[in-house]
Amino acid sequence: MAGFDVKAPVAKEQEDAAVVAHNTRMGVLLLAVYVVFYGGFMALSAFWPAAMGKTPTGGANVAVLYGFGLIVLALFLALVYMRVCRKSGRKGAA
Amino acid sequence: MIHEASSLAVLVFLVFAGSVVGISFYLGARARSASGYFAAGGGIHWAVNGVAFAGDYLSAASFLGICGMIAFYGYDGFLYSIGYLAGWIVALFIIAEPLKRLGRYTFADALDNKFNSRGIKLAAAVSTLVVSCFYLIPQMVGAGALIQPLLGFPHYVGVFLVGGIVTLIVMTAGMVSTTWVQFIKGTMLVVLCSIITVFILMRGVNTNPAATSAKAGEVARRGVEAASVLGASGQSVLPADGGWTGTPYVRVRDEGTGVVAVWRRDADGRLSETQTLTVLPGGAKLANGRPQGRGEGQGDLRPVGYASKLPGGVEKTGPLGPIGFLKTMQESEVILWGSDKIAGADGSVTTIYYQQPTPGSDFMTPGSSPTFRKVRSTRPVDKLDFLSLMLALFCGTASLPHILIRYYTVKDQVSARKSTVVGIAAIGFFYVLTLFLGLGAMTGGTLDVTDSNMSAPLLARSFNELLFAMISAIAFTTVLGTVSGLIMAASGAVAHDLMTNVLKIRLDEFQKVRAAKFAALGVGVVAMALGIAFARMNVNFLVGWAFNIAASANLPSLVMLLFWRRTTKQGITASILVGMLSSLGWILASAQAFKDVYGLDPASALVPFSQPAIVTIPLGFVVLVVVSLLTKRGAPRSAQA
């Protein structure tokens, strides 16, 4: 249970307005990207369900590929977010 | 179906449950303060917290409900997987960091960070309790469903067992033990489901699972010439009286045994075998015409689930790769099972489970299940139920109180962000597996036609008893992990938000923790009662409702607090209350509630579709904006609080 200590003091984070604003902007931007793809999935499923049965690659159909794609995209965008986010300084912490 | 109790499963379960409670007691000695109880002192490592997110989130609904829905209907169950995972994007990009920055123990802390309003605290606490209770129902129902094949006890025993253990866990050490229970469970769930997926791919798909698995049921007969059944000696056809009139079913009695078999007349005039469960006026049950039981002269429903046609006309495929498996399912025909309920003239009620040969091109696309059937309708208004549910799943994750409080267990905003990414990775991987697990169960030969929630454990049983024992025990800890998180959130809402902040009861650290423990006990008792009351509903559907309420009640206020400078405390309070009450009212007036909760005709429902989010989430935003504009005073506050 390394790294686990319920009695360890919690360092106070500094509020850096510029960093907060930057991270918020990045979050909204990446969310918008995901909403486009998720919205496309909803629209395709609801209004063109027959298109979901097509097999563009000869393997899995569009429904499966798009579904897996949304899961992979979520992880990819999460990693991008980690990369582009800035870090506020913290008092009394390394 | 009556499931055999497994002594191995009992042993493994006892080891798991004993370990979890032991860890709980050990950690309980280390967290005495309110901070330790409610937020684990903010000292959980981000990687542990990330996996605990997965343990918290991958509930009975994810594991039992989604696998069951895919096993019974196909791709439609996977729509839930996609929606549940997508919701984490909202949590990561919008909610995680601000929540950590603004709050302390509960999400009401964050909402009320700048206002210090009793109205906000009260509304947020009530919302937390309502959402937690709604989310608790499917978890407890799942616990009851699991206990039947595992220990051979009735449903309610499972509910009491899980309720008792979880309440004990939460009362002993709060968020500390809850986190570790969720971490252990999350890890084991993902690892074991990966192993089962490998087994599924190695087995491939075949048209007669009973040939390779002793647990699988025999293939049911289809395409039988009517004359060979109806004209056979020693058989007599019963008249189509009562509710049987005008149905495609033919009842044939064996004059020797008196057993009545029910056949379904197909479009080509031939007959196919059905399975029946009849409840007699006195309450006794007949399974396939015999008294239900395992004794002499008794009978039971048979396990089902197999392909009826495979690509190339082969009888079995042999081992397949992941894409090859999905492609095979798309090009196969599988026997799915529909059901009809018929009231007999003698007062008996018979549920008939009939074969539905279904091509993969149908069940591997959206709209194959009763839940989402309307997406194939040509009327745009019929699409609203589906769109509303997908919206609720997308918006609901970031609004679930038991997920939100996990952000307070890490030390800073960076850790909150990192733990969310770990959670997304673990949860996303698991949801990919659900498609293989569900389709594997669909063709594994061990499905119980009466209970979709049991599909995943019974799939494991089709491989071997040890796997079944382990997956059942993990499913139990799945319920334990999620329920403990929910009870934790609810107890925090009572002790911290309601008692301390709303009612202004002066409590020291010790008293606050003690109050939370009593609250946990109360919520645990309520959860057990609800788990028994809703025993028959699909757990996945119930979770969908919880997401609707959470998204409608909490998301508008969380988002607007962060992004709209003119938000007022009255706007937040009104938005929470209106969102919560409107979504709750809509659900209670829906066709699904009429059918499954009240037992009334769903056609007499008061609202046009069952999932309210597409109406009630925008309503929450509108109410917040209107009330904020009407109550605005003084200078605008900072958008970043």
Side-chain angles (χ1 to χ4, degrees), chain B residues 193-272:
Chain B
C193 287
S194 303
I195 292 170
I196 293 179
T197 301
V198 171
F199 282 7
I200 290 168
L201 297 177
M202 287 170 63
R203 179 167 69 186
V205 186
N206 72 64
T207 54
N208 185 14
T212 53
S213 170
K215 298 290 182 187
E218 296 292 331
V219 172
R221 285 174 288 174
R222 282 198 305 132
V224 178
E225 291 294 344
S228 70
V229 174
L230 307 182
S233 64
Q235 308 283 315
S236 62
V237 178
L238 298 182
D241 54 1
W244 297 92
T245 310
T247 66
Y249 300 106
V250 183
R251 290 178 294 163
V252 180
R253 182 165 57 204
D254 185 305
E255 296 300 343
T257 62
V259 172
V260 176
V262 178
W263 294 79
R264 183 181 170 96
R265 198 183 293 276
D266 295 326
D268 60 3
R270 297 184 181 195
L271 301 180
S272 58

Side-chain angles (χ1 to χ4, degrees), chain B residues 158 228 237 260 285 316 470 570 620:
Chain B
S228 70
V237 178
V260 176
K285 288 183 180 175
K316 59 181 177 182
M470 293 183 72
Q570 293 90 344

Side-chain angles (χ1 to χ4, degrees), chain A residues 36-53:
Chain A
V36 168
F37 284 93
Y38 188 77
F41 178 82
M42 286 171 63
L44 208 56
S45 299
F47 299 106
W48 298 279
M52 297 294 257

Side-chain angles (χ1 to χ4, degrees), chain B residues 343-362:
Chain B
D346 60 352
S348 64
V349 177
T350 300
T351 306
I352 302 167
Y353 301 96
Y354 60 90
Q355 302 178 60
Q356 287 182 308
T358 310
S361 57
D362 182 283

Side-chain angles (χ1 to χ4, degrees), chain A residues 4 6 10 13 15 23-24 27 30-31 38 41 45-46 53 55 58-61 63 67-68 81-82 85 90, chain B residues 30 41 43-44 75 78 82 93 97 101 176 180 327 330 364-365 375 383 386 390 412-413 417-418 421 563:
Chain A
F4 173 69
V6 295
V10 179
E13 286 187 83
E15 294 299 321
N23 292 352
T24 302
L30 291 171
L31 178 69
Y38 188 77
F41 178 82
S45 299
T55 51
N61 65 17
F68 283 175
Y81 183 61
M82 289 289 292
C85 270
R90 293 170 52 229
Chain B
R30 304 179 60 176
I44 300 288
Y75 183 83
F78 190 58
I82 294 165
F93 292 158
E97 290 182 55
R101 192 167 64 240
V176 185
W180 284 95
K327 187 171 185 291
Q330 283 165 204
M364 288 296 282
T365 53
V375 298
K383 321 282 187 182
F386 166 76
M390 294 306 281
D412 56 20
Q413 294 169 48
R417 200 160 61 215
K418 284 180 179 175
V421 175
F563 294 99

Side-chain angles (χ1 to χ4, degrees), chain B residues 90 111 222 275 330 375 404 437 459:
Chain B
V90 181
L111 280 182
R222 282 198 305 132
Q275 298 204 69
Q330 283 165 204
V375 298
L404 296 177
L437 294 171
L459 164 68

